[in-house]
Amino acid sequence: LLAQIFLLTVLIPIAVFYLLRMLKLLRTDIMVNDVKQRKLPLAIQAMYFYFISFYTLKPIPDSDLKFFFIGALASTILALFAAILRQKISLHMIGVGGMASFIIGLSVKTSSPNLLLICALILLTGIVASSRLAMKAHTPSELFWGTVVGVYCQVQLFVYWL
């Protein structure tokens, strides 16, 4: 499950990023600090997550992974709206906050809490936030709102999923 999530949420988006750079549709470094430059990648990501959620995983009823991607889709749409409003929120924090929330939900659903993994993900969330601050890539407010969006979108699905 984690390998599939890694492929679909890390490797393919990185490939799309470099494709956009090669086509000169994106003129920035990997950090995409300019809020205006975030719109196209986020719109592509939203379409990608929509396709995964409602076409690729549709034949699998009540798939845990389907709920993860629906939450990721909602998070991406909120991040896109923030970019349209010229507000920057941390996409890294959306990702780690959403992943931590999903794993906590999965542990509740399967009644087999993997406390070591949950603690590692919570620690990873703090490490990512600290690194983004140290790199001066985000303000504390941008990190906070990124975490809130990532966690909120996953937790809202617990009602349907768990």
Side-chain angles (χ1 to χ4, degrees):
L1 182 64
L2 291 176
Q4 290 173 341
I5 292 171
F6 181 76
L7 172 71
L8 295 170
T9 61
V10 176
L11 296 181
I12 292 175
I14 287 173
V16 170
F17 172 81
Y18 283 109
L19 177 65
L20 290 173
R21 291 271 318 254
M22 283 181 10
L23 296 174
K24 300 197 187 310
L25 295 172
L26 194 60
R27 292 181 175 87
T28 185
D29 62 358
I30 193 81
M31 302 300 269
V32 193
N33 286 325
D34 184 10
V35 177
K36 290 183 250 173
Q37 290 284 310
R38 289 175 163 229
K39 293 175 192 172
L40 180 60
L42 285 169
I44 291 170
Q45 183 174 332
M47 290 185 288
Y48 175 66
F49 286 159
Y50 179 83
F51 177 77
I52 290 171
S53 300
F54 297 106
Y55 291 100
T56 304
L57 296 172
K58 185 178 182 177
I60 307 169
D62 298 327
S63 166
D64 297 330
L65 198 54
K66 179 178 180 176
F67 285 102
F68 173 76
F69 278 106
I70 292 171
L73 170 61
S75 297
T76 302
I77 291 169
L78 289 175
L80 178 58
F81 282 139
I84 290 169
L85 297 173
R86 298 180 186 205
Q87 298 298 313
K88 183 176 165 188
I89 59 176
S90 175
L91 303 177
H92 284 86
M93 296 309 295
I94 288 174
V96 296
M99 176 62 80
S101 300
F102 174 74
I103 296 299
I104 290 168
L106 192 59
S107 293
V108 169
K109 182 180 180 186
T110 61
S111 297
S112 59
N114 189 340
L115 294 179
L116 185 60
L117 179 59
I118 292 169
C119 289
L121 284 169
I122 292 170
L123 180 64
L124 180 65
T125 302
I127 291 170
V128 169
S130 298
S131 72
R132 305 306 289 161
L133 285 173
M135 294 174 66
K136 298 187 187 321
H138 289 287
T139 65
S141 174
E142 294 166 350
L143 296 173
F144 171 78
W145 286 110
T147 305
V148 167
V149 167
V151 170
Y152 177 80
C153 290
Q154 290 296 328
V155 169
Q156 288 302 305
L157 292 170
F158 286 2
V159 174
Y160 304 103
W161 177 42
L162 298 181

